[in-house]
């Protein structure tokens, strides 16, 4: 049975109703679906999802921002509470989840928590469908180091934390608590000033740590919970044993501050070199995403393999990979010397793939996306215009921070020989 809410003059709003909602900053009206309702300080607020917009823009709005006169009742077939991601309800560019989200809450072994009512965890997996609960953001705000960050999506933190205005997270061990007091007590005894695991890269103030999901389970699980607030479309793996986590930090006199990370399966039968990747919002759009991606391909180069990110990619994930692939491939084409006995430089798709560790399919899709492949006198050739080269050079000038392979101290392990990791 859908929920029914009574509003205004006897009008009824049901979960799944669609109606125009006034966008923030008065940027016009946009069709939205109602997913929830709550009372807050005497006001009724509705949780809405804007059709064709990414779910991170979902928000609580008051009745005044809704045009009730244009309300459309939910159509029968699509409106069960257990609706899947990507089903009709205007999920837009967001790819659908391949599986139901796996929910569980990580172990918190800190005795401090016994006073703070954080539920004890069993560590077992509880499978939930992507129901009305997981479709809505459950955490208002987090504080991580010197940043306050508004989450984008649902993340299965303990229920108790969903009713506090701010969840406080230790920026070093990623433990979460419900108040500044609890955080202060925690910080007084938390000795970490960097992620656990080995520092495998450092250049100037940028470091990477490699964390084994089996050896540092609590940290890995806390990292997954934090990441889930910004990753919508992926199944979250709480069994962190099969994964390695590469955490990128910025170093200052106080410690190593987490900027972002990617996870990677110890063994991937599908040649995935990244499972999930994230730049924390305060650091986004500054080139760190591409730095993480570049690092993941440097690891693949050390392994002598080509790799590709796990699918599906998010909208921002696709933008970042497209940009990285384009720049990396154009850089190679730009630096090619004319080959012997020919005026034109010669290179094959396989060679581009080997030089960059970018999987062949991604090289081809990038060349197609850039519209560089032409059919000429019976064969496929790559043609680059002067304008394309100029704009490429300009975009490379903007890419200030780069990975320096000389600063990477890492050797791949053969996980297949290690029995059960
Ligand atoms: N709007 C438009 N373009 C954007 C945006 C945005 N909000 N964010 C990044 N881009 C573009 C940038 O313009 C840039 O391209 P350009 O250099 O050609 O202009 C490119 O994407 C990369 O930008 P970076 O600054 O290097 O990337 P950033 O640090 O912002 O991180 C990331 C990108 C990791 C995808 C980040 O947006 C993020 O963490 N998002 C949430 C989690 C997510 O979606 N992860 C990817 C999931 S797919 C997977 O896990 C395999
Ligand atoms: Zn800590």
């Amino acid at each position: 049975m859908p929920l029914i809410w009574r509003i205004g003059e006897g009008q009824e709003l049901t979960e799944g109703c669609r109606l125009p909602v006034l966008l923030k900053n008065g940027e016009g009206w946009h069709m939205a679906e109602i997913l929830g309702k709550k009372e807050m300080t005497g006001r009724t607020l509705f949780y809405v999802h804007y059709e064709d917009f990414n779910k991170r823009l979902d928000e609580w709005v008051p009745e005044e921002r809704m045009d009730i006169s244009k309300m459309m009742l939910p159509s029968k077939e699509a409106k069960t509470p257990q609706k899947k991601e990507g089903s009709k309800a205007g999920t837009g560019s967001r790819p659908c989840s391949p599986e139901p989200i796996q929910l569980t809450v990580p172990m918190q072994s800190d005795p401090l928590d016994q006073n703070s009512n954080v539920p004890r965890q069993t560590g077992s997996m509880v499978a939930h469908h992507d129901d009305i609960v997981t479709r809505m953001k459950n955490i208002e705000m987090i504080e991580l180091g010197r940043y306050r960050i508004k989450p984008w999506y649902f993340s299965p933190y303990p229920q108790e934390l969903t009713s506090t205005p701010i969840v406080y997270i230790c920026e070093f061990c990623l433990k979460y608590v419900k108040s500044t007091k609890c955080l202060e007590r925690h910080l007084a005894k938390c000795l970490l000033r960097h992620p656990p695991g080995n520092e495998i890269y450092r250049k100037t103030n940028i470091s990477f740590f490699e964390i084994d999901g089996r050896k540092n389970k609590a940290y890995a699980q806390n990292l997954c919970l934090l990441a889930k607030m910004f990753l919508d479309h992926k199944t979250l793996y709480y069994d962190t044993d099969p994964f390695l986590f590469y955490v990128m930090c910025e170093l200052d006199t106080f410690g190593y501050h987490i900027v972002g990370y990617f996870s990677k399966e110890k063994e991937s039968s599908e040649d995935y070199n990244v499972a999930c990747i994230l730049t924390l919002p305060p650091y986004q759009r500054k080139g760190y995403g591409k730095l993480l991606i570049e690092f993941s391909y440097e690891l693949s180069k050390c392994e002598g393999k080509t790799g590709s990110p796990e699918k599906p990619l998010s909208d921002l994930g696709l933008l970042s990979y497209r940009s990285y692939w384009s720049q990396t491939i154009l850089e190679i084409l730009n630096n090619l010397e004319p080959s012997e006995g020919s005026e034109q430089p010669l290179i094959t798709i396989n060679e581009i793939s080997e030089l960059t560790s970018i999987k062949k399919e991604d090289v081809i899709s990038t060349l197609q996306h850039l519209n560089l492949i032409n059919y000429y006198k019976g064969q496929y050739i790559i043609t680059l215009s002067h304008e394309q080269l100029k704009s490429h050079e300009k975009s490379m000038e903007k890419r200030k921070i780069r990975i320096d392979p000389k600063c990477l101290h890492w050797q791949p392990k053969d996980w297949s020989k290690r029995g059960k990791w």
Side-chain angles (χ1 to χ4, degrees):
M1 265 297 285
L3 298 169
I4 298 180
W5 305 301
R6 214 164 281 283
I7 53 154
E9 319 263 290
Q11 292 247 40
E12 277 181 354
L13 273 185
T14 39
E15 165 214 337
C17 275
R18 295 162 63 242
L19 79 186
V21 173
L22 189 61
L23 294 170
K24 251 189 224 158
N25 314 322
E27 284 171 13
W29 295 83
H30 196 92
M31 208 57 179
E33 181 188 349
I34 299 178
L35 301 181
K37 181 192 167 196
K38 70 175 177 187
E39 303 293 332
M40 231 173 80
T41 52
R43 285 182 92 197
T44 308
L45 296 174
F46 292 90
Y47 195 82
V48 296
H49 167 69
Y50 296 101
E51 293 189 353
D52 301 321
F53 285 4
N54 189 286
K55 223 162 95 182
R56 62 180 164 269
L57 301 171
D58 293 3
E59 60 177 338
W60 290 100
V61 298
E63 212 179 298
E64 301 88 86
R65 277 176 56 192
M66 309 196 307
D67 186 349
I68 312 253
S69 67
K70 299 212 175 97
M71 184 179 77
M72 291 155 79
L73 290 170
S75 65
K76 279 207 180 87
E77 79 285 3
K79 303 300 171 192
T80 60
Q82 297 235 325
K83 193 163 25 187
K84 290 284 288 180
E85 286 281 272
S87 64
K88 192 193 152 267
T91 45
S93 59
R94 190 163 35 87
C96 32
S97 303
E99 294 164 49
I101 296 177
Q102 314 269 322
L103 294 189
T104 188
V105 187
M107 306 274 282
Q108 290 267 329
S109 51
D110 191 327
L112 270 179
D113 275 345
Q114 272 154 11
N115 308 328
S116 71
N117 282 337
V118 174
R120 292 281 112 200
Q121 309 310 328
T122 63
S124 63
M125 289 255 228
V126 187
H128 279 244
H129 287 284
D130 182 31
D131 57 18
I132 205 77
V133 173
T134 64
R135 285 184 79 188
M136 283 157 56
K137 292 169 212 185
N138 54 337
I139 305 288
E140 281 288 309
M141 183 76 83
I142 60 163
E143 191 178 291
L144 180 73
R146 64 194 142 113
Y147 296 109
R148 291 251 168 108
I149 309 171
K150 255 187 175 312
W152 295 358
Y153 308 113
F154 174 90
S155 181
Y157 278 97
Q159 185 92 44
E160 197 213 20
L161 294 184
T162 62
S163 52
T164 59
I166 300 172
V167 173
Y168 297 85
I169 300 176
C170 169
E171 62 168 326
F172 301 114
C173 71
L174 305 183
K175 184 186 155 67
Y176 48 81
V177 293
K178 62 170 182 178
S179 66
T180 35
K181 233 194 185 122
C182 292
L183 183 69
E184 272 166 29
R185 272 192 291 167
H186 169 77
L187 290 178
K189 52 167 239 176
C190 179
L191 299 175
L192 279 185
R193 286 296 171 268
H194 56 75
N198 297 326
E199 187 180 16
I200 58 168
Y201 177 95
R202 190 194 299 185
K203 181 155 188 184
T204 57
N205 63 339
I206 295 287
S207 278
F208 277 84
F209 288 81
E210 183 186 57
I211 293 117
D212 184 325
R214 186 180 67 80
K215 291 187 188 153
N216 288 291
K217 207 165 283 194
Y219 181 88
Q221 289 181 329
N222 285 344
L223 180 58
C224 286
L225 267 181
L226 171 66
K228 179 65 195 72
M229 287 190 278
F230 308 99
L231 276 161
D232 175 42
H233 62 294
K234 284 275 177 83
T235 307
L236 211 57
Y237 299 101
Y238 287 101
D239 177 14
T240 56
D241 288 17
F243 293 89
L244 294 164
F245 296 82
Y246 294 92
V247 176
M248 181 168 75
C249 295
E250 231 173 35
L251 174 63
D252 67 15
T253 48
F254 194 69
Y256 292 80
H257 308 276
I258 178 168
V259 170
Y261 89 104
F262 65 88
S263 54
K264 175 174 177 163
E265 281 174 286
K266 291 171 181 171
E267 292 177 275
S268 168
S269 52
E270 280 150 301
D271 289 339
Y272 291 138
N273 64 355
V274 163
C276 289
I277 184 163
L278 167 79
T279 304
L280 286 165
Y283 295 96
Q284 284 176 6
R285 306 212 66 177
K286 296 178 199 295
Y288 291 113
K290 268 192 272 187
L291 203 62
L292 285 164
I293 295 173
E294 189 176 7
F295 193 83
S296 72
Y297 283 106
E298 282 307 320
L299 295 186
S300 294
K301 285 181 198 170
C302 291
E303 293 171 325
K305 287 185 192 162
T306 63
S308 185
E310 195 179 293
K311 311 300 173 308
L313 296 174
S314 67
D315 53 350
L316 298 177
L318 182 62
L319 277 175
S320 306
Y321 269 97
R322 275 251 167 84
S323 174
Y324 175 82
W325 291 330
S326 302
Q327 288 186 339
T328 308
I329 293 169
L330 285 171
E331 194 62 3
I332 295 224
L333 298 178
N334 197 15
N335 292 335
L336 276 182
E337 302 286 341
S339 50
E340 245 176 76
S342 157
E343 289 197 355
Q344 302 299 331
L346 254 176
I347 191 160
T348 64
I349 306 268
N350 277 337
E351 282 165 343
I352 298 177
S353 177
E354 276 162 27
L355 284 167
T356 58
S357 275
I358 299 173
K359 209 177 174 186
K360 206 171 133 185
E361 287 82 346
D362 297 330
V363 174
I364 296 171
S365 78
T366 306
L367 290 171
Q368 281 168 341
H369 181 75
L370 291 170
N371 217 356
L372 296 184
I373 301 184
N374 285 297
Y375 196 63
Y376 181 73
K377 291 193 180 164
Q379 57 181 341
Y380 289 100
I381 57 161
I382 296 170
T383 22
L384 260 173
S385 68
H386 276 291
E387 290 75 42
Q388 275 167 322
L389 278 181
K390 275 258 137 48
S391 96
H392 165 66
E393 277 162 8
K394 255 205 172 133
S395 77
M396 288 310 275
E397 277 166 25
K398 279 195 266 166
R399 202 161 141 196
K400 291 268 171 356
I401 25 171
R402 296 294 300 269
I403 294 299
D404 182 349
K406 291 195 292 299
C407 301
L408 173 63
H409 303 285
W410 184 78
Q411 274 188 339
K413 292 190 180 95
D414 185 352
W415 294 97
S416 66
K417 292 210 179 113
R418 300 187 159 231
K420 194 86 188 85
W421 307 305

